Amino acid sequence: YLHSEVTAPPSWQVTISPDSFYIVPYGTVYVHLSLSVPDTANRGADIVVRFIDSVSGETLSLCRRFILDQIPMMSISDGDTVSRLKIDLSGEIHATGGYIDVDNSLVTIHSSGIHNIVESTGRLDMESSEIKAGTGGQYDFEMAGILRLNNSIISGSQGIQFNSPDSLSLTNLLAVNSGGYGFKFSGSPGTYIVQNIFVENPLNSAVIFDVVPACTLWGVYVNGASSNDVELLSSNVTVIGGSIDSSKVQCDVNSEFTFGWPLYLNVLGPDSSFLEGVECYLLNAHGDTVYTGTTENYTVGPINLPVYKKLSGAYEIYTPYTLELSWSGLDTSLIVDPVNPTFLTVVLTGHPFIRGDVNADGYVDVSDIVYFIANLMPAPNFGCLDAADFNDDGSIDVTDGVFGINN
């Protein structure tokens, strides 16, 4: 059982349809309310509607301000919460020094030339929502301050610019059918996480970086860009994962762009058990070692493997990689050529051994030298030839005994 409370300026004579007291069937997610206000309603006046559980008294949804059809120049500004609403907006979204929350809502902008701003002292949270251009609507965004835009869509904008925000969190954000660029990152954010951003069918470049120092983004997906997929101006950017056409990456003389994929590695022993302490080495196509480490908690990763680097007039490829693994004398190497996130499980085969432990007692000491000399002639007679190969040159001879004595 729900009932609603409405407060508004007395002259508005607000009515609610169908009723102010009703039963909500089990499993209901949305409740539709129709509100009627006079055409003379003043800009900026508030309507507050609360849905209250008649049994527990709990407030189920609270919307500080409704942005209603047919009210000209109504804006979303500091302190506004737009929650589970479908609204038409003829004004702007403007956070000057306060907090705006857009949650599970659809905001349609109908006017042209709208410049939406989140100033350096403002904050915008947008969750599971969509902002789009209505008929004749034209708008763009310039954002600073504290920004958290997750699982949302911005459709039909002229561009979305992030201008040195204090804090930036973009996760699963789609810019579609932009009349200009998709996203533009300018300057350096204080803190940031950018993961899985999508740009579809922008009129110009999909993603622009303008004077952005070294930063890493995870998952940038571009489809149908009329110009560049990525454009860099005095910036140094790494993207791990996504869908970017390397021929549509443009860098000026002061920029550098690197694209790569993550590698996750598990190593199993001959008995199919996960191994700890496996030594791992990764070498790129030029023979440079790009990673050295050991398996901890039975896994390694993510290891970000650059696939290519692009500069002004230069293009460098780093694949394929050589992966070398070593554990208790079991060594192997294989080729890794990432074209997607790579999840790799390697099984080391053979018999574990300790180099130099010729008599297999679990220690390397003088008794192994005595055992080695006694069993070297006339032909090497050892249970594990690898253990007897003291100097690891691939052959068993007197030089191994000398190496063992000297070391």
Side-chain angles (χ1 to χ4, degrees):
Y1 296 88
L2 294 179
H3 72 273
S4 58
E5 295 178 352
V6 179
T7 59
S11 62
W12 282 30
Q13 298 179 344
V14 176
T15 61
I16 298 180
S17 173
D19 203 335
S20 62
F21 182 84
Y22 40 88
I23 298 175
V24 180
Y26 178 78
T28 298
V29 178
Y30 295 100
V31 174
H32 181 80
L33 273 184
S34 297
L35 299 182
S36 173
V37 300
D39 294 337
T40 57
N42 295 324
R43 175 186 178 187
D46 294 345
I47 301 176
V48 180
V49 176
R50 295 176 177 86
F51 298 94
I52 302 174
D53 188 316
S54 298
V55 177
S56 67
E58 179 183 0
T59 299
L60 302 182
S61 179
L62 171 61
C63 303
R64 177 183 178 274
R65 179 176 294 175
F66 274 86
I67 311 302
L68 305 174
D69 293 342
Q70 308 303 320
I71 298 182
M73 300 304 294
M74 289 295 291
S75 299
I76 301 175
S77 57
D78 293 342
D80 286 337
T81 296
V82 179
S83 179
R84 296 188 179 184
L85 293 176
K86 179 180 179 181
I87 61 178
D88 292 332
L89 186 65
S90 57
E92 62 190 4
I93 300 173
H94 193 182
T96 60
Y99 173 51
I100 293 176
D101 185 14
V102 180
D103 177 41
N104 286 281
S105 296
L106 171 62
V107 178
T108 303
I109 298 176
H110 289 281
S111 296
S112 62
I114 297 299
H115 186 43
N116 301 297
I117 302 175
V118 178
E119 297 187 11
S120 59
T121 53
R123 172 171 176 167
L124 172 64
D125 277 17
M126 182 175 171
E127 180 72 38
S128 303
S129 296
E130 179 178 356
I131 296 175
K132 70 174 186 176
T135 303
Q138 188 180 77
Y139 69 98
D140 64 5
F141 269 102
E142 182 178 338
M143 305 188 199
I146 298 174
L147 308 171
R148 188 180 66 87
L149 288 74
N150 299 324
N151 306 311
S152 295
I153 302 172
I154 300 178
S155 174
S157 77
Q158 299 301 302
I160 306 158
Q161 179 174 352
F162 304 103
N163 189 16
S164 298
D166 292 332
S167 177
L168 178 64
S169 174
L170 308 179
T171 306
N172 301 325
L173 182 64
L174 168 63
V176 61
N177 298 328
S178 299
Y181 56 83
F183 298 111
K184 183 175 183 179
F185 298 87
S186 298
S188 175
T191 60
Y192 75 96
I193 179 169
V194 179
Q195 183 169 347
N196 296 335
I197 60 173
F198 303 81
V199 184
E200 289 192 359
N201 305 320
L203 186 61
N204 296 316
S205 293
V207 185
I208 300 173
F209 297 94
D210 185 11
V211 195
V212 176
C215 72
T216 300
L217 287 68
W218 290 266
V220 176
Y221 300 83
V222 178
N223 180 45
S226 300
S227 183
N228 299 306
D229 281 8
V230 177
E231 181 179 341
L232 288 86
L233 307 169
S234 299
S235 298
N236 184 347
V237 175
T238 297
V239 172
I240 303 298
S243 176
I244 295 174
D245 185 345
S246 61
S247 67
K248 298 177 73 174
V249 176
Q250 178 177 311
C251 299
D252 68 6
V253 294
N254 298 313
S255 295
E256 180 178 302
F257 177 79
T258 303
F259 181 85
W261 289 104
L263 168 66
Y264 301 84
L265 173 67
N266 292 314
V267 184
L268 306 183
D271 60 354
S272 296
S273 62
F274 287 96
L275 297 180
E276 289 270 25
V278 180
E279 297 177 2
C280 306
Y281 306 91
L282 274 163
L283 294 79
N284 63 22
H286 307 292
D288 302 322
T289 300
V290 298
Y291 176 82
T292 301
T294 59
T295 54
E296 296 180 3
N297 297 322
Y298 311 111
T299 189
V300 173
I303 305 171
N304 296 327
L305 298 181
V307 173
Y308 66 84
K309 178 183 290 185
K310 195 162 188 179
L311 301 91
S312 177
Y315 183 73
E316 188 171 3
I317 299 176
Y318 297 107
T319 58
Y321 285 84
T322 300
L323 172 63
E324 298 179 350
L325 302 173
S326 179
W327 180 79
S328 294
L330 300 182
D331 301 330
T332 191
S333 65
L334 62 156
I335 300 300
V336 178
D337 193 0
V339 293
N340 283 302
T342 302
F343 299 86
L344 189 63
T345 298
V346 179
V347 179
L348 298 180
T349 59
H351 300 284
F353 67 93
I354 301 173
R355 192 172 302 281
D357 183 18
V358 186
N359 60 9
D361 64 355
Y363 303 94
V364 178
D365 52 29
V366 68
S367 66
D368 294 292
I369 302 298
V370 174
Y371 189 92
F372 177 85
I373 295 172
N375 291 275
L376 181 61
M377 298 297 194
N381 181 23
F382 305 105
C384 178
L385 294 178
D386 280 323
D389 187 8
F390 280 84
N391 59 11
D392 195 20
D393 65 355
S395 62
I396 311 298
D397 52 35
V398 68
T399 62
D400 293 294
V402 174
F403 185 91
I405 292 171
N406 290 335
N407 293 275

